[in-house]
Every structure is written in structure tokens, then in C-alpha cells.
Amino acid sequence: MENLYIKGTIKSPTFDFNYEKGELNITGRSHPEDVNTVYKPALRWLEKYIKNPKPITTVNFILEYYNTSSSKIILEIFRELKAFQDTGNNVIVNWHYAEADEDLRDDGEMFSDMVKLPIELVVLKEV
């Protein structure tokens, strides 16, 4: 299976999915005009990955901002990961946020509660 790398823009996140490492990273800002078009390649890749996963899958969300449309797609990703985990797969989900960004931290907790998926809240080091 090939890796997926889509460089982000001012409005869309970077998708860096490495099959060999079992690591999926979504980073940057997410407020595109058409969220479905932006996330479609990532969702397709995830569907293929789930059919032939690595022993441990690590997913990192490192978003500095996302809009409501993006939150719906992010929730969809979490639901896919929860179903994947429920079939016995080892999934580690990390939700990264700046220490001062309590709203983003709270969002990670909210997603975890909504989907019943353990999400590790990771404080980003200030640069």
C-alpha cells in the first residue's frame, strides 16, 4: 500500500499517512470551502488501510484551527477509528493542542466522549 501525502494550504490540513509506520498525521488548519473534497483522499486511504493494517496504528491530530464542517469529518474519522478498534485493532489517537488553547483541549475530550474512543491529549511545546 502506498503512503498518502497531501501538502496543506492556508485553509486545508496536511495529510501525511505512512503505511509502513502505521502512522497517520493530520496537521495545520482546516477550514476549506469544500471539506468533502479535501478529506476524500484521506478517507479513502483510511478505508484501504483498515483492510490491511499494521499491528499498531497511531493517529495524530495536530490542528491549530478547524471549522464546523471540518469537525463533522473529524468526527467521521473518529467513528471509523472506533469501529476499527472495536474489531480488536490497536489504535492510539493523539489530539495535540497548544497549552494556552483550552478550547482545543476541550474539543479533544468532547470527541473522545462522543465516540467512546480513548484520545490522548498532548500539549504542544511552545516555540
Side-chain angles (χ1 to χ4, degrees):
M1 185 170 168
E2 291 188 23
N3 295 336
L4 174 72
Y5 181 82
I6 301 172
K7 184 169 175 39
T9 67
I10 292 171
K11 292 186 173 188
S12 64
T14 295
F15 298 97
D16 187 4
F17 296 178
N18 185 303
Y19 177 72
E20 287 304 316
K21 291 181 179 179
E23 186 173 291
L24 292 68
N25 297 304
I26 301 173
T27 61
R29 298 176 62 81
S30 184
H31 53 102
E33 291 183 29
D34 185 355
V35 71
N36 292 318
T37 300
V38 169
Y39 278 82
K40 187 181 235 178
L43 292 170
R44 281 190 187 151
W45 192 95
L46 182 59
E47 287 174 16
K48 289 179 187 174
Y49 177 84
I50 286 172
K51 292 176 185 173
N52 188 26
K54 292 297 178 179
I56 299 174
T57 302
T58 304
V59 184
N60 292 296
F61 285 86
I62 311 169
L63 297 171
E64 59 187 73
Y65 172 80
Y66 62 92
N67 63 5
T68 303
S69 298
S70 296
S71 71
K72 292 175 183 176
I73 293 285
I74 292 167
L75 183 59
E76 184 178 329
I77 292 170
F78 283 138
R79 286 185 174 136
E80 289 286 329
L81 293 171
K82 174 61 174 159
F84 178 58
Q85 183 183 60
D86 286 349
T87 60
N89 292 283
N90 190 353
V91 181
I92 299 166
V93 180
N94 298 308
W95 181 264
H96 300 258
Y97 66 95
E99 188 171 16
D101 194 341
E102 293 179 16
D103 291 337
L104 202 55
R105 183 201 65 221
D106 292 348
D107 289 350
E109 291 175 348
M110 175 196 66
F111 283 125
S112 181
D113 290 343
M114 286 176 70
V115 183
K116 305 298 184 227
L117 177 70
I119 297 175
E120 183 71 27
L121 302 175
V122 180
V123 177
L124 291 170
K125 301 288 184 211
E126 297 294 327
V127 179

